[in-house]
PDB file of all heavy atoms in Angstrom:
ATOM      1  N   ARG A   1       9.469  17.348   1.442  1.00 96.00           N
ATOM      2  CA  ARG A   1       8.840  17.865   2.666  1.00 96.00           C
ATOM      3  C   ARG A   1       7.878  19.005   2.347  1.00 96.00           C
ATOM      4  O   ARG A   1       6.761  19.057   2.877  1.00 96.00           O
ATOM      5  CB  ARG A   1       9.916  18.350   3.646  1.00 96.00           C
ATOM      6  CG  ARG A   1      10.687  17.251   4.340  1.00 96.00           C
ATOM      7  CD  ARG A   1      11.431  17.802   5.545  1.00 96.00           C
ATOM      8  NE  ARG A   1      12.319  18.891   5.197  1.00 96.00           N
ATOM      9  CZ  ARG A   1      13.585  18.749   4.795  1.00 96.00           C
ATOM     10  NH1 ARG A   1      14.101  17.525   4.722  1.00 96.00           N
ATOM     11  NH2 ARG A   1      14.334  19.798   4.524  1.00 96.00           N
ATOM     12  N   GLU A   2       8.310  19.921   1.475  1.00 96.00           N
ATOM     13  CA  GLU A   2       7.453  21.054   1.126  1.00 96.00           C
ATOM     14  C   GLU A   2       6.183  20.584   0.437  1.00 96.00           C
ATOM     15  O   GLU A   2       5.097  21.124   0.679  1.00 96.00           O
ATOM     16  CB  GLU A   2       8.221  22.022   0.227  1.00 96.00           C
ATOM     17  CG  GLU A   2       9.318  22.776   0.951  1.00 96.00           C
ATOM     18  CD  GLU A   2      10.127  23.655   0.004  1.00 96.00           C
ATOM     19  OE1 GLU A   2       9.933  23.542  -1.229  1.00 96.00           O
ATOM     20  OE2 GLU A   2      10.964  24.444   0.492  1.00 96.00           O
ATOM     21  N   PHE A   3       6.319  19.590  -0.437  1.00 96.00           N
ATOM     22  CA  PHE A   3       5.138  19.084  -1.134  1.00 96.00           C
ATOM     23  C   PHE A   3       4.185  18.411  -0.143  1.00 96.00           C
ATOM     24  O   PHE A   3       2.972  18.642  -0.189  1.00 96.00           O
ATOM     25  CB  PHE A   3       5.546  18.084  -2.222  1.00 96.00           C
ATOM     26  CG  PHE A   3       4.385  17.493  -2.967  1.00 96.00           C
ATOM     27  CD1 PHE A   3       3.810  18.173  -4.032  1.00 96.00           C
ATOM     28  CD2 PHE A   3       3.836  16.275  -2.594  1.00 96.00           C
ATOM     29  CE1 PHE A   3       2.721  17.651  -4.715  1.00 96.00           C
ATOM     30  CE2 PHE A   3       2.755  15.734  -3.264  1.00 96.00           C
ATOM     31  CZ  PHE A   3       2.195  16.422  -4.330  1.00 96.00           C
ATOM     32  N   GLU A   4       4.712  17.603   0.736  1.00 94.00           N
ATOM     33  CA  GLU A   4       3.870  16.840   1.655  1.00 94.00           C
ATOM     34  C   GLU A   4       3.216  17.710   2.718  1.00 94.00           C
ATOM     35  O   GLU A   4       2.162  17.350   3.257  1.00 94.00           O
ATOM     36  CB  GLU A   4       4.702  15.737   2.315  1.00 94.00           C
ATOM     37  CG  GLU A   4       5.132  14.646   1.336  1.00 94.00           C
ATOM     38  CD  GLU A   4       6.050  13.621   1.961  1.00 94.00           C
ATOM     39  OE1 GLU A   4       6.595  13.910   3.064  1.00 94.00           O
ATOM     40  OE2 GLU A   4       6.249  12.544   1.362  1.00 94.00           O
ATOM     41  N   THR A   5       3.810  18.867   3.039  1.00 95.00           N
ATOM     42  CA  THR A   5       3.273  19.710   4.112  1.00 95.00           C
ATOM     43  C   THR A   5       2.560  20.962   3.604  1.00 95.00           C
ATOM     44  O   THR A   5       2.135  21.788   4.412  1.00 95.00           O
ATOM     45  CB  THR A   5       4.414  20.142   5.050  1.00 95.00           C
ATOM     46  OG1 THR A   5       5.411  20.865   4.310  1.00 95.00           O
ATOM     47  CG2 THR A   5       5.057  18.927   5.705  1.00 95.00           C
ATOM     48  N   GLN A   6       2.400  21.109   2.302  1.00 95.00           N
ATOM     49  CA  GLN A   6       1.738  22.301   1.783  1.00 95.00           C
ATOM     50  C   GLN A   6       0.272  22.336   2.211  1.00 95.00           C
ATOM     51  O   GLN A   6      -0.381  21.294   2.330  1.00 95.00           O
ATOM     52  CB  GLN A   6       1.858  22.361   0.261  1.00 95.00           C
ATOM     53  CG  GLN A   6       1.142  21.243  -0.471  1.00 95.00           C
ATOM     54  CD  GLN A   6       1.354  21.284  -1.969  1.00 95.00           C
ATOM     55  OE1 GLN A   6       1.252  22.351  -2.572  1.00 95.00           O
ATOM     56  NE2 GLN A   6       1.648  20.147  -2.572  1.00 95.00           N
ATOM     57  N   PRO A   7      -0.270  23.522   2.454  1.00 95.00           N
ATOM     58  CA  PRO A   7      -1.675  23.624   2.863  1.00 95.00           C
ATOM     59  C   PRO A   7      -2.619  23.366   1.693  1.00 95.00           C
ATOM     60  O   PRO A   7      -2.210  23.408   0.524  1.00 95.00           O
ATOM     61  CB  PRO A   7      -1.780  25.074   3.352  1.00 95.00           C
ATOM     62  CG  PRO A   7      -0.732  25.814   2.570  1.00 95.00           C
ATOM     63  CD  PRO A   7       0.403  24.839   2.409  1.00 95.00           C
ATOM     64  N   GLY A   8      -3.871  23.113   2.018  1.00 96.00           N
ATOM     65  CA  GLY A   8      -4.887  22.931   0.992  1.00 96.00           C
ATOM     66  C   GLY A   8      -5.342  21.497   0.870  1.00 96.00           C
ATOM     67  O   GLY A   8      -4.900  20.600   1.611  1.00 96.00           O
ATOM     68  N   TRP A   9      -6.221  21.276  -0.085  1.00 96.00           N
ATOM     69  CA  TRP A   9      -6.768  19.949  -0.335  1.00 96.00           C
ATOM     70  C   TRP A   9      -5.796  19.119  -1.173  1.00 96.00           C
ATOM     71  O   TRP A   9      -5.029  19.654  -1.967  1.00 96.00           O
ATOM     72  CB  TRP A   9      -8.103  20.058  -1.059  1.00 96.00           C
ATOM     73  CG  TRP A   9      -9.232  20.422  -0.137  1.00 96.00           C
ATOM     74  CD1 TRP A   9      -9.559  21.665   0.318  1.00 96.00           C
ATOM     75  CD2 TRP A   9     -10.162  19.520   0.452  1.00 96.00           C
ATOM     76  NE1 TRP A   9     -10.637  21.606   1.148  1.00 96.00           N
ATOM     77  CE2 TRP A   9     -11.050  20.296   1.254  1.00 96.00           C
ATOM     78  CE3 TRP A   9     -10.365  18.140   0.384  1.00 96.00           C
ATOM     79  CZ2 TRP A   9     -12.093  19.734   1.974  1.00 96.00           C
ATOM     80  CZ3 TRP A   9     -11.411  17.586   1.104  1.00 96.00           C
ATOM     81  CH2 TRP A   9     -12.252  18.369   1.892  1.00 96.00           C
ATOM     82  N   LYS A  10      -5.889  17.808  -0.957  1.00 97.00           N
ATOM     83  CA  LYS A  10      -5.081  16.861  -1.729  1.00 97.00           C
ATOM     84  C   LYS A  10      -5.981  15.897  -2.484  1.00 97.00           C
ATOM     85  O   LYS A  10      -7.086  15.591  -2.043  1.00 97.00           O
ATOM     86  CB  LYS A  10      -4.148  16.052  -0.818  1.00 97.00           C
ATOM     87  CG  LYS A  10      -3.016  16.837  -0.202  1.00 97.00           C
ATOM     88  CD  LYS A  10      -2.115  15.899   0.601  1.00 97.00           C
ATOM     89  CE  LYS A  10      -0.944  16.667   1.200  1.00 97.00           C
ATOM     90  NZ  LYS A  10      -0.046  15.771   1.987  1.00 97.00           N
ATOM     91  N   VAL A  11      -5.463  15.418  -3.613  1.00 97.00           N
ATOM     92  CA  VAL A  11      -6.108  14.336  -4.360  1.00 97.00           C
ATOM     93  C   VAL A  11      -5.091  13.211  -4.487  1.00 97.00           C
ATOM     94  O   VAL A  11      -3.947  13.447  -4.897  1.00 97.00           O
ATOM     95  CB  VAL A  11      -6.566  14.800  -5.759  1.00 97.00           C
ATOM     96  CG1 VAL A  11      -7.073  13.606  -6.573  1.00 97.00           C
ATOM     97  CG2 VAL A  11      -7.638  15.867  -5.651  1.00 97.00           C
ATOM     98  N   VAL A  12      -5.500  12.015  -4.104  1.00 98.00           N
ATOM     99  CA  VAL A  12      -4.641  10.843  -4.219  1.00 98.00           C
ATOM    100  C   VAL A  12      -5.337   9.827  -5.121  1.00 98.00           C
ATOM    101  O   VAL A  12      -6.522   9.543  -4.926  1.00 98.00           O
ATOM    102  CB  VAL A  12      -4.346  10.206  -2.851  1.00 98.00           C
ATOM    103  CG1 VAL A  12      -3.484   8.952  -3.005  1.00 98.00           C
ATOM    104  CG2 VAL A  12      -3.665  11.213  -1.928  1.00 98.00           C
ATOM    105  N   VAL A  13      -4.616   9.325  -6.108  1.00 98.00           N
ATOM    106  CA  VAL A  13      -5.140   8.258  -6.958  1.00 98.00           C
ATOM    107  C   VAL A  13      -4.266   7.033  -6.731  1.00 98.00           C
ATOM    108  O   VAL A  13      -3.053   7.071  -6.988  1.00 98.00           O
ATOM    109  CB  VAL A  13      -5.130   8.650  -8.446  1.00 98.00           C
ATOM    110  CG1 VAL A  13      -5.691   7.504  -9.293  1.00 98.00           C
ATOM    111  CG2 VAL A  13      -5.941   9.920  -8.674  1.00 98.00           C
ATOM    112  N   GLU A  14      -4.866   5.960  -6.232  1.00 97.00           N
ATOM    113  CA  GLU A  14      -4.149   4.716  -5.969  1.00 97.00           C
ATOM    114  C   GLU A  14      -4.602   3.657  -6.968  1.00 97.00           C
ATOM    115  O   GLU A  14      -5.792   3.364  -7.075  1.00 97.00           O
ATOM    116  CB  GLU A  14      -4.405   4.223  -4.546  1.00 97.00           C
ATOM    117  CG  GLU A  14      -3.764   5.094  -3.473  1.00 97.00           C
ATOM    118  CD  GLU A  14      -3.907   4.467  -2.097  1.00 97.00           C
ATOM    119  OE1 GLU A  14      -4.499   3.362  -1.993  1.00 97.00           O
ATOM    120  OE2 GLU A  14      -3.430   5.082  -1.124  1.00 97.00           O
ATOM    121  N   ALA A  15      -3.647   3.106  -7.704  1.00 96.00           N
ATOM    122  CA  ALA A  15      -3.960   2.089  -8.698  1.00 96.00           C
ATOM    123  C   ALA A  15      -3.856   0.705  -8.089  1.00 96.00           C
ATOM    124  O   ALA A  15      -3.064   0.469  -7.164  1.00 96.00           O
ATOM    125  CB  ALA A  15      -3.013   2.211  -9.888  1.00 96.00           C
ATOM    126  N   ASP A  16      -4.641  -0.218  -8.615  1.00 95.00           N
ATOM    127  CA  ASP A  16      -4.515  -1.612  -8.215  1.00 95.00           C
ATOM    128  C   ASP A  16      -3.156  -2.136  -8.685  1.00 95.00           C
ATOM    129  O   ASP A  16      -2.714  -1.789  -9.799  1.00 95.00           O
ATOM    130  CB  ASP A  16      -5.638  -2.434  -8.837  1.00 95.00           C
ATOM    131  CG  ASP A  16      -5.670  -3.862  -8.313  1.00 95.00           C
ATOM    132  OD1 ASP A  16      -4.956  -4.715  -8.881  1.00 95.00           O
ATOM    133  OD2 ASP A  16      -6.397  -4.106  -7.343  1.00 95.00           O
ATOM    134  N   PRO A  17      -2.453  -2.944  -7.872  1.00 93.00           N
ATOM    135  CA  PRO A  17      -1.133  -3.443  -8.285  1.00 93.00           C
ATOM    136  C   PRO A  17      -1.124  -4.153  -9.639  1.00 93.00           C
ATOM    137  O   PRO A  17      -0.111  -4.143 -10.340  1.00 93.00           O
ATOM    138  CB  PRO A  17      -0.758  -4.404  -7.154  1.00 93.00           C
ATOM    139  CG  PRO A  17      -1.505  -3.902  -5.968  1.00 93.00           C
ATOM    140  CD  PRO A  17      -2.804  -3.377  -6.513  1.00 93.00           C
ATOM    141  N   SER A  18      -2.272  -4.755 -10.004  1.00 93.00           N
ATOM    142  CA  SER A  18      -2.323  -5.473 -11.275  1.00 93.00           C
ATOM    143  C   SER A  18      -2.593  -4.558 -12.471  1.00 93.00           C
ATOM    144  O   SER A  18      -2.505  -4.997 -13.616  1.00 93.00           O
ATOM    145  CB  SER A  18      -3.413  -6.543 -11.223  1.00 93.00           C
ATOM    146  OG  SER A  18      -4.695  -5.952 -11.070  1.00 93.00           O
ATOM    147  N   ALA A  19      -2.912  -3.280 -12.203  1.00 95.00           N
ATOM    148  CA  ALA A  19      -3.229  -2.343 -13.294  1.00 95.00           C
ATOM    149  C   ALA A  19      -2.703  -0.955 -12.956  1.00 95.00           C
ATOM    150  O   ALA A  19      -3.473  -0.055 -12.618  1.00 95.00           O
ATOM    151  CB  ALA A  19      -4.731  -2.307 -13.553  1.00 95.00           C
ATOM    152  N   PRO A  20      -1.384  -0.749 -12.997  1.00 97.00           N
ATOM    153  CA  PRO A  20      -0.835   0.571 -12.673  1.00 97.00           C
ATOM    154  C   PRO A  20      -1.258   1.623 -13.687  1.00 97.00           C
ATOM    155  O   PRO A  20      -1.719   1.305 -14.791  1.00 97.00           O
ATOM    156  CB  PRO A  20       0.679   0.338 -12.725  1.00 97.00           C
ATOM    157  CG  PRO A  20       0.850  -0.823 -13.647  1.00 97.00           C
ATOM    158  CD  PRO A  20      -0.354  -1.697 -13.419  1.00 97.00           C
ATOM    159  N   LEU A  21      -1.092   2.862 -13.311  1.00 97.00           N
ATOM    160  CA  LEU A  21      -1.305   3.978 -14.232  1.00 97.00           C
ATOM    161  C   LEU A  21      -0.065   4.136 -15.104  1.00 97.00           C
ATOM    162  O   LEU A  21       1.053   3.882 -14.673  1.00 97.00           O
ATOM    163  CB  LEU A  21      -1.551   5.264 -13.447  1.00 97.00           C
ATOM    164  CG  LEU A  21      -2.838   5.302 -12.609  1.00 97.00           C
ATOM    165  CD1 LEU A  21      -2.756   6.421 -11.587  1.00 97.00           C
ATOM    166  CD2 LEU A  21      -4.049   5.482 -13.512  1.00 97.00           C
ATOM    167  N   TRP A  22      -0.296   4.581 -16.336  1.00 96.00           N
ATOM    168  CA  TRP A  22       0.810   4.747 -17.277  1.00 96.00           C
ATOM    169  C   TRP A  22       0.898   6.202 -17.735  1.00 96.00           C
ATOM    170  O   TRP A  22      -0.133   6.865 -17.926  1.00 96.00           O
ATOM    171  CB  TRP A  22       0.623   3.833 -18.491  1.00 96.00           C
ATOM    172  CG  TRP A  22       0.630   2.393 -18.112  1.00 96.00           C
ATOM    173  CD1 TRP A  22      -0.446   1.610 -17.847  1.00 96.00           C
ATOM    174  CD2 TRP A  22       1.784   1.570 -17.888  1.00 96.00           C
ATOM    175  NE1 TRP A  22      -0.053   0.341 -17.501  1.00 96.00           N
ATOM    176  CE2 TRP A  22       1.315   0.282 -17.512  1.00 96.00           C
ATOM    177  CE3 TRP A  22       3.157   1.785 -17.993  1.00 96.00           C
ATOM    178  CZ2 TRP A  22       2.184  -0.765 -17.232  1.00 96.00           C
ATOM    179  CZ3 TRP A  22       4.021   0.744 -17.717  1.00 96.00           C
ATOM    180  CH2 TRP A  22       3.527  -0.521 -17.338  1.00 96.00           C
ATOM    181  N   PRO A  23       2.116   6.728 -17.886  1.00 94.00           N
ATOM    182  CA  PRO A  23       2.253   8.112 -18.357  1.00 94.00           C
ATOM    183  C   PRO A  23       1.742   8.268 -19.785  1.00 94.00           C
ATOM    184  O   PRO A  23       2.203   7.569 -20.688  1.00 94.00           O
ATOM    185  CB  PRO A  23       3.760   8.375 -18.256  1.00 94.00           C
ATOM    186  CG  PRO A  23       4.394   7.030 -18.273  1.00 94.00           C
ATOM    187  CD  PRO A  23       3.421   6.091 -17.649  1.00 94.00           C
ATOM    188  N   GLN A  24       0.785   9.160 -19.966  1.00 94.00           N
ATOM    189  CA  GLN A  24       0.249   9.457 -21.296  1.00 94.00           C
ATOM    190  C   GLN A  24       0.682  10.842 -21.772  1.00 94.00           C
ATOM    191  O   GLN A  24       0.419  11.223 -22.907  1.00 94.00           O
ATOM    192  CB  GLN A  24      -1.280   9.352 -21.270  1.00 94.00           C
ATOM    193  CG  GLN A  24      -1.777   7.953 -20.951  1.00 94.00           C
ATOM    194  CD  GLN A  24      -3.299   7.857 -20.923  1.00 94.00           C
ATOM    195  OE1 GLN A  24      -4.015   8.863 -21.038  1.00 94.00           O
ATOM    196  NE2 GLN A  24      -3.812   6.656 -20.753  1.00 94.00           N
ATOM    197  N   GLY A  25       1.335  11.581 -20.901  1.00 90.00           N
ATOM    198  CA  GLY A  25       1.850  12.895 -21.245  1.00 90.00           C
ATOM    199  C   GLY A  25       2.482  13.533 -20.025  1.00 90.00           C
ATOM    200  O   GLY A  25       1.948  13.426 -18.928  1.00 90.00           O
ATOM    201  N   PHE A  26       3.660  14.144 -20.203  1.00 89.00           N
ATOM    202  CA  PHE A  26       4.288  14.908 -19.135  1.00 89.00           C
ATOM    203  C   PHE A  26       5.291  15.857 -19.766  1.00 89.00           C
ATOM    204  O   PHE A  26       5.688  15.696 -20.919  1.00 89.00           O
ATOM    205  CB  PHE A  26       4.967  13.999 -18.096  1.00 89.00           C
ATOM    206  CG  PHE A  26       6.154  13.242 -18.605  1.00 89.00           C
ATOM    207  CD1 PHE A  26       7.444  13.747 -18.471  1.00 89.00           C
ATOM    208  CD2 PHE A  26       6.002  12.000 -19.223  1.00 89.00           C
ATOM    209  CE1 PHE A  26       8.549  13.051 -18.935  1.00 89.00           C
ATOM    210  CE2 PHE A  26       7.098  11.288 -19.693  1.00 89.00           C
ATOM    211  CZ  PHE A  26       8.374  11.818 -19.551  1.00 89.00           C
ATOM    212  N   ASP A  27       5.689  16.873 -19.011  1.00 87.00           N
ATOM    213  CA  ASP A  27       6.619  17.873 -19.506  1.00 87.00           C
ATOM    214  C   ASP A  27       8.013  17.542 -18.980  1.00 87.00           C
ATOM    215  O   ASP A  27       8.303  17.756 -17.810  1.00 87.00           O
ATOM    216  CB  ASP A  27       6.195  19.263 -19.029  1.00 87.00           C
ATOM    217  CG  ASP A  27       7.064  20.372 -19.608  1.00 87.00           C
ATOM    218  OD1 ASP A  27       8.087  20.050 -20.239  1.00 87.00           O
ATOM    219  OD2 ASP A  27       6.723  21.554 -19.433  1.00 87.00           O
ATOM    220  N   PRO A  28       8.919  17.001 -19.831  1.00 82.00           N
ATOM    221  CA  PRO A  28      10.235  16.576 -19.336  1.00 82.00           C
ATOM    222  C   PRO A  28      11.104  17.723 -18.842  1.00 82.00           C
ATOM    223  O   PRO A  28      12.080  17.497 -18.124  1.00 82.00           O
ATOM    224  CB  PRO A  28      10.861  15.879 -20.551  1.00 82.00           C
ATOM    225  CG  PRO A  28      10.145  16.446 -21.729  1.00 82.00           C
ATOM    226  CD  PRO A  28       8.756  16.733 -21.268  1.00 82.00           C
ATOM    227  N   LEU A  29      10.760  18.960 -19.213  1.00 78.00           N
ATOM    228  CA  LEU A  29      11.523  20.104 -18.731  1.00 78.00           C
ATOM    229  C   LEU A  29      11.117  20.512 -17.321  1.00 78.00           C
ATOM    230  O   LEU A  29      11.809  21.317 -16.683  1.00 78.00           O
ATOM    231  CB  LEU A  29      11.328  21.300 -19.670  1.00 78.00           C
ATOM    232  CG  LEU A  29      12.029  21.227 -21.024  1.00 78.00           C
ATOM    233  CD1 LEU A  29      11.711  22.472 -21.829  1.00 78.00           C
ATOM    234  CD2 LEU A  29      13.522  21.084 -20.852  1.00 78.00           C
ATOM    235  N   ASN A  30      10.021  19.985 -16.834  1.00 88.00           N
ATOM    236  CA  ASN A  30       9.501  20.395 -15.529  1.00 88.00           C
ATOM    237  C   ASN A  30       9.193  19.185 -14.660  1.00 88.00           C
ATOM    238  O   ASN A  30       8.072  19.022 -14.161  1.00 88.00           O
ATOM    239  CB  ASN A  30       8.245  21.265 -15.711  1.00 88.00           C
ATOM    240  CG  ASN A  30       8.570  22.624 -16.290  1.00 88.00           C
ATOM    241  OD1 ASN A  30       9.013  23.528 -15.589  1.00 88.00           O
ATOM    242  ND2 ASN A  30       8.383  22.766 -17.590  1.00 88.00           N
ATOM    243  N   VAL A  31      10.186  18.330 -14.508  1.00 90.00           N
ATOM    244  CA  VAL A  31      10.096  17.192 -13.595  1.00 90.00           C
ATOM    245  C   VAL A  31      11.337  17.182 -12.725  1.00 90.00           C
ATOM    246  O   VAL A  31      12.388  17.700 -13.103  1.00 90.00           O
ATOM    247  CB  VAL A  31       9.964  15.845 -14.333  1.00 90.00           C
ATOM    248  CG1 VAL A  31       8.676  15.785 -15.130  1.00 90.00           C
ATOM    249  CG2 VAL A  31      11.162  15.599 -15.238  1.00 90.00           C
ATOM    250  N   GLN A  32      11.195  16.611 -11.546  1.00 89.00           N
ATOM    251  CA  GLN A  32      12.314  16.500 -10.613  1.00 89.00           C
ATOM    252  C   GLN A  32      12.264  15.137  -9.950  1.00 89.00           C
ATOM    253  O   GLN A  32      11.276  14.805  -9.285  1.00 89.00           O
ATOM    254  CB  GLN A  32      12.221  17.596  -9.537  1.00 89.00           C
ATOM    255  CG  GLN A  32      13.254  17.495  -8.435  1.00 89.00           C
ATOM    256  CD  GLN A  32      14.661  17.798  -8.911  1.00 89.00           C
ATOM    257  OE1 GLN A  32      14.905  18.873  -9.451  1.00 89.00           O
ATOM    258  NE2 GLN A  32      15.578  16.875  -8.746  1.00 89.00           N
ATOM    259  N   ARG A  33      13.283  14.332 -10.167  1.00 90.00           N
ATOM    260  CA  ARG A  33      13.330  13.029  -9.511  1.00 90.00           C
ATOM    261  C   ARG A  33      13.675  13.233  -8.045  1.00 90.00           C
ATOM    262  O   ARG A  33      14.689  13.850  -7.712  1.00 90.00           O
ATOM    263  CB  ARG A  33      14.389  12.149 -10.185  1.00 90.00           C
ATOM    264  CG  ARG A  33      14.204  10.670  -9.915  1.00 90.00           C
ATOM    265  CD  ARG A  33      15.202   9.852 -10.694  1.00 90.00           C
ATOM    266  NE  ARG A  33      16.539   9.913 -10.099  1.00 90.00           N
ATOM    267  CZ  ARG A  33      17.665   9.744 -10.775  1.00 90.00           C
ATOM    268  NH1 ARG A  33      17.626   9.543 -12.071  1.00 90.00           N
ATOM    269  NH2 ARG A  33      18.832   9.788 -10.168  1.00 90.00           N
ATOM    270  N   LEU A  34      12.837  12.718  -7.148  1.00 93.00           N
ATOM    271  CA  LEU A  34      13.056  12.891  -5.716  1.00 93.00           C
ATOM    272  C   LEU A  34      13.597  11.635  -5.056  1.00 93.00           C
ATOM    273  O   LEU A  34      13.933  11.655  -3.873  1.00 93.00           O
ATOM    274  CB  LEU A  34      11.751  13.309  -5.023  1.00 93.00           C
ATOM    275  CG  LEU A  34      11.117  14.617  -5.504  1.00 93.00           C
ATOM    276  CD1 LEU A  34       9.955  14.994  -4.610  1.00 93.00           C
ATOM    277  CD2 LEU A  34      12.143  15.738  -5.557  1.00 93.00           C
ATOM    278  N   GLY A  35      13.650  10.551  -5.790  1.00 88.00           N
ATOM    279  CA  GLY A  35      14.152   9.302  -5.246  1.00 88.00           C
ATOM    280  C   GLY A  35      14.119   8.240  -6.321  1.00 88.00           C
ATOM    281  O   GLY A  35      13.796   8.507  -7.482  1.00 88.00           O
TER     282      GLY A  35
END
C-alpha cells in the first residue's frame, strides 16, 4: 500500500508476454517478497 500510494512520478516497464525481463543484478539483502 505504501509503495502504491507514495507521491511523485512513477515509471512502469511492461514486457511482452513472449519476452519477459530477466534479472541481471539485484541486492539479495534488500528485497522483500510481497506475494
Side-chain angles (χ1 to χ4, degrees):
R1 286 196 304 272
E2 289 176 351
F3 179 83
E4 292 175 344
T5 59
Q6 65 184 314
W9 282 81
K10 290 184 179 180
V11 173
V12 178
V13 180
E14 290 187 0
D16 188 273
S18 64
L21 295 163
W22 298 95
Q24 297 180 354
F26 67 93
D27 185 351
L29 287 179
N30 290 280
V31 296
Q32 174 69 57
R33 200 175 76 206
L34 300 188

